[in-house]
Amino acid sequence: MTEATGIVGEFLSLKEETDADLLTMQCGDFYEFFAEDAEIVADELELKVSQKSSHGSSYPMAGVPVDDLTPYLKALVERGYRVAVADQYETDSGHAREIVRVVTPGTLLETSDADAQYLAAIVADSSARGDDPGYGLAFADVTTGRFLVAEADDTDEALTELYRFDPVEVLPGPEVRADDDLLGLVRERLKATLTLHETEAFAPRRADHAVREQFGERVDRLGVGEPAVAAAGAVLDYVEETGAGVLASMTRIQAHRGDDHVTLDATTQRNLELTETMQGEREGSLFATIDHTATSAGGRLLKEWLQRPRRSLADLERRQESVAALSTAALARDEIQDALGEAYDLARLASKASHGSADARDLVAVRETLSVLPAVADAVGSNPDLADSPLVDVLKRPDREDARELRSELEDAIVEDPPSTVTQGELFREGYDDELDGVIERHEEVREWLDTLAEREKRQHGLSHVTVDRNKTDGYYIQVGKSAADGVPGHYEQIKTLKNSKRFTTDELEEKEREVLRLEERRGELEYELFEELRDEVATRAELLQDVGRALATVDALASLATHAAENRWVEPDLRRDDRLEIEQGRHPVVEQTTEFVPNDVRLDEERDFLVVTGPNMSGKSTYMRQVAAIVLLAQIGSFVPAKDAEIGLVDGIFTRVGALDELAQGRSTFMVEMSELSNILHTATEESLVILDEVGRGTATYDGISIAWAATEYLHNEVRAKTLFATHYHELTGLAEKLPRVANVHVAADERDGEVTFLRTVRDGPTDRSYGIHVADLAGVPDPVVDRSRDVLERLREEKAIEAKGGASNEPVQTVFDVSSGQFRGPANADGGERPTAEGDDPKSTLDPETERVLEDLADVDVNETPPVELLSKVREWQRRLEE
């Protein structure tokens, strides 16, 4: 226990009670930090540090006004600190303080960010056998009251769910805390704070009780296992323990099921740049491109749709029908979006009301947003096309009558433009409460008496230079100029002499003053009581507000998709349950915004479901494949797509392997990342999936890479049977189209004339025969001598001629042969068994042993152009074996 006394001692005692990183304690009109906390906060937020003496010692002190705490809390939490807040309350002996909440990244209510702000928990299935158990997860957004649970079969799936929801804070369960590998991956892939919450909160029985208490019998219908319930219970316990006070806004729990949605692992979300680019920027992402929402809730929902595409054909067709109606009804759509522009974030307002932090302006925002619902409904109902669309059902989901009653109650209660602080008064309309009206009326009568007192005193007593005023020191007083002060009546009692005047009071004035103060105090008490009752009433309607908010957000997201479709000539795809995928003149939804795009077709069906895509470097192979994936994804959120026509068979997952960056800090090279991503696809994809492979095997030796790519192609074709687009520079793979029944070749065309190469960006059937890598090097600005030398070396390789390796100590050209299979330069052997340069006129065979000569003879008899790649690789391995022996 500290030796400090007084305020500092109280602060240090409270600090010992909490495991928060920082404590701020209310001291009158300020929240103060002391000791080490003050120095940390001052450094982080550039606050001024002063000194506070206590028990002979001096302690650093830094503080902020009570009304300004929120932005400082937000800044500290965003820097990763957990901050305990101690409020001051009155006691018989003076002031006391207690910790009322601990603000953490996952329980911060005061956020201006429109994105969801999830608190997550992850619990391992302790009953599972094997090295990779299943997991239960829970996600809660305290700013909106949204609460979801999910299950994952393995670590990769658990990480995918975490990446999808992108929580700001994660509570690992008891077994997960001991899994350093999993925690390392969480830290690597997420920006979340990891918090160790008490183990007991994850106990199955305690968690089950907490979930039932919060959500009632509905938890029985979730169909999730014990780990997911344990995660949900831990989240509820953490929210309650931190004092966020928003449990009342968590009115329903939903199960997020993988079989309801398209699988999009973290790699695919990153590769397709769904919500941010590879550089981490919002601009340039698919979400930023199609986001025309008018509300923050609508934007959140649209982002959620992108990250969790649907598999239900019925749900998608309802969305499509709504988008189609909105895209053609331009005037009605504008009217709807204008109305939505007046809407506030109802889910977050409900959460603030439940927490008790909503002020009068927040309740006005609730009132105004509830009035948007009938306005949008009227706009939909008055348009024949929209009136027959599923939008009508969307707007019927909230209880419209209950919403009308709440809006009417708020309309009757709160003035049009209330003050920002509840204690300022003047919140309520006349007629809302009889007692309040009586207090206000009497207060106005007394104020009227005070306001006219000076004139009455002048007339009654013949005084001049008389004023009546009020200050904190003297209260109400009558001030008379010195020249007339001697003529004041006898009942005036002098209380102060000034340079040019004197101040007086009277018994009647003092009585009126006491009455004014009493009325003002009573009015403040009444208004605060009435406001708390009204705010509590709003809090009890949290589920209603969430329903209304969800309906408006849904209309907003659908209108956004319709706006983009109308402005960019997108078409409604024909969604199917079969394997067909046919896109006519498809375009990349993001790239077409910034460049003149060359449309391309794609056709996949039961007889042709694996495309080997070849073509020059930088010709557009990656863009072509990503546009196919993006179009399929857009179709499965209910959106129109950038194409002339499209028939799209629903998929259960989209998997991509597109390039890779070294992760050397995690001990993983480019090739290891590439193989890990390939492994995940081969293990996870199904015959209903779409697989995008942009190069496989390029990170290792040529024949190793070809072999891996070859085997992966066979496995995907024969075992997985997923719809696949595979871009490769290994032209050997194009031969598989002749051997595997569902494999076909397509290539991105290029035109070469007079040594100049033009990339046509057009995808055509059949394989390509060249990659034009040297041309790309030239475009990239590689020095001319290097480009020219590259062309010379390539020409000699094509003609199977020896290459002069220029350089060396003697600066003499050294003629040698490049062995493609080994990736090494070789020359003829010297007499001592070593290699020597090949001189003009040398016969390379003259120094070779008989077995080597026989291998060369066999090689000379092989027609590379006619021999299938598999047979050719077999021959090469046989030749290598004979040469090694």
Side-chain angles (χ1 to χ4, degrees), residues 614-633:
T614 52
N617 292 290
M618 289 180 61
S619 62
K621 297 191 300 296
S622 294
T623 300
Y624 172 68
M625 295 196 303
R626 291 189 207 202
Q627 88 183 34
V628 172
I631 287 172
V632 171
L633 189 152

Side-chain angles (χ1 to χ4, degrees), residues 665-696:
Q666 289 78 40
R668 304 203 304 168
S669 67
T670 298
F671 184 62
M672 175 59 77
V673 172
E674 179 184 336
M675 289 300 99
S676 296
E677 293 176 356
L678 177 62
S679 172
N680 177 60
I681 291 172
L682 297 180
H683 281 297
T684 312
T686 75
E687 62 181 348
E688 296 181 22
S689 302
L690 174 64
V691 173
I692 302 296
L693 296 176
D694 190 359
E695 300 296 347
V696 167

Side-chain angles (χ1 to χ4, degrees), residues 446 450 470 476 505-521:
V446 177
L450 291 167
R470 175 187 186 182
Y476 278 99
T505 187
T506 67
D507 292 342
E508 187 178 20
L509 179 59
E510 288 179 348
E511 176 57 32
K512 296 295 185 185
E513 178 180 10
R514 286 192 291 272
E515 186 174 5
V516 163
L517 294 175
R518 187 170 61 251
L519 289 167
E520 288 176 348
E521 183 179 4

Side-chain angles (χ1 to χ4, degrees), residues 44 66 82 137 213 218 630 714 746:
E44 291 282 3
V66 167
R82 301 172 74 245
L137 302 103
E213 283 286 306
R218 278 174 287 189
E714 290 179 340
V746 297

Side-chain angles (χ1 to χ4, degrees), residues 120-123 134-139 147-154 157-163 165 170 224 227-232 235 254 256:
I122 175 171
V123 176
Y135 296 89
L137 302 103
F139 302 92
F147 204 107
L148 301 105
V149 288
E151 293 181 312
D153 292 333
D154 52 39
E157 191 175 330
L159 289 168
T160 291
E161 292 300 328
L162 287 170
Y163 187 89
F165 286 95
V170 175
V224 295
V229 174
V235 167
Q254 296 174 293
H256 164 66

Side-chain angles (χ1 to χ4, degrees), residues 192-227:
T193 298
L194 287 174
T195 301
L196 299 183
H197 188 45
E198 61 180 38
T199 302
E200 291 78 10
F202 293 89
R205 288 189 178 180
R206 176 172 168 179
D208 184 75
H209 177 75
V211 173
R212 289 177 184 275
E213 283 286 306
Q214 182 67 28
F215 301 109
E217 294 183 0
R218 278 174 287 189
V219 71
D220 294 331
R221 300 195 293 268
L222 288 173
V224 295
E226 189 176 273

